[in-house]
Amino acid sequence: MADVKRILEEVQAGRLDIERASELLQAVGKLDYATLDLERAERTGFPEVVYGAGKSVEQLIGIMERLREHQELVLVTRVNDNQAQHVQERWPDILYEKEAALLISSREPLKPVREGYVAVVAAGTSDWSVAQEAAWTVRCFGSEVRVIADVGVAGIHRLFERLEEIRGASVVVCVAGMEGALASVLAGLVDIPVIAVPTSVGYGANFGGVSALLSMLNSCATGVAVVNIDNGFGAGYMAGMIHRCSTK
């Protein structure tokens, strides 16, 4: 943010023309290995999110350093322990949610800023990490999250025990592997959107989550939208947007 402020002060003082200032401002978001979208929050209501997988520690720290200068919130997904250790050594204030594989840098504590909540419903304990990725993404939107775990169709009585709590949500994220049937069951029981997340949990014929993906895409129940396999972040982002819009 200091670079941007300095450039604007130079323009205000008449020492820098608008054309040159525009060039300098565009360069603020450029690194040798990345071009950062520093205006994304203004366009979409949520800042640029960093995909951590495949990035070196040096690249990740470089990207986060620039984003922390310009964003109140920096969210990094698919982070491993080695990346997290180095990042936290640099910035001890950054939160590492190991189960969700997320790094969260926030100038203010994450807390709900709107009424209602989002329900993240996981079929089994093996779906926990994907459910946590979705839940923490929703929290970054300023929404309350209630995680309801291990209510899959193999013991469907467990789902009915939590059904009223699920029905009280503004939107449901349904995380399920194996055959992915929970999304269809839920959509037939609630009057709110269901965002289905197929997971790669399952035996051989699950094909790494493809069977659950196809089941959810072919759901007979209405009101189901489907994201990619293990994409808890994508589901959490969509749920956060829906909750934000529903409370405007």
Side-chain angles (χ1 to χ4, degrees), residues 18 52 122 139 179 190 225 236:
I18 294 176
R139 292 186 182 107
E179 83 286 11
V190 301

Side-chain angles (χ1 to χ4, degrees), residues 166-177:
I166 296 170
R167 284 174 169 165
S170 298
V171 56
V172 176
V173 175
C174 174
V175 184

Side-chain angles (χ1 to χ4, degrees), residues 153 174 176-185 196-198 206 211-213 215-216:
V153 298
C174 174
M178 297 294 187
E179 83 286 11
L182 182 61
S184 292
V185 172
V197 189
N206 172 265
S211 64
L213 172 65
S215 293
M216 291 171 173

Side-chain angles (χ1 to χ4, degrees), residues 63-80:
I63 290 170
M64 292 186 69
E65 183 172 37
R66 189 63 57 87
L67 290 180
R68 277 168 59 93
E69 293 173 355
H70 297 274
Q71 298 179 181
E72 293 187 4
L73 174 73
V74 179
L75 175 63
V76 185
T77 68
R78 300 303 167 96
V79 176
N80 60 45

Side-chain angles (χ1 to χ4, degrees), residues 213-232:
L213 172 65
L214 293 177
S215 293
M216 291 171 173
L217 287 172
N218 287 289
S219 174
C220 184
T222 52
V224 179
V226 187
V227 299
N228 211 339
I229 299 167
D230 292 335
N231 189 9

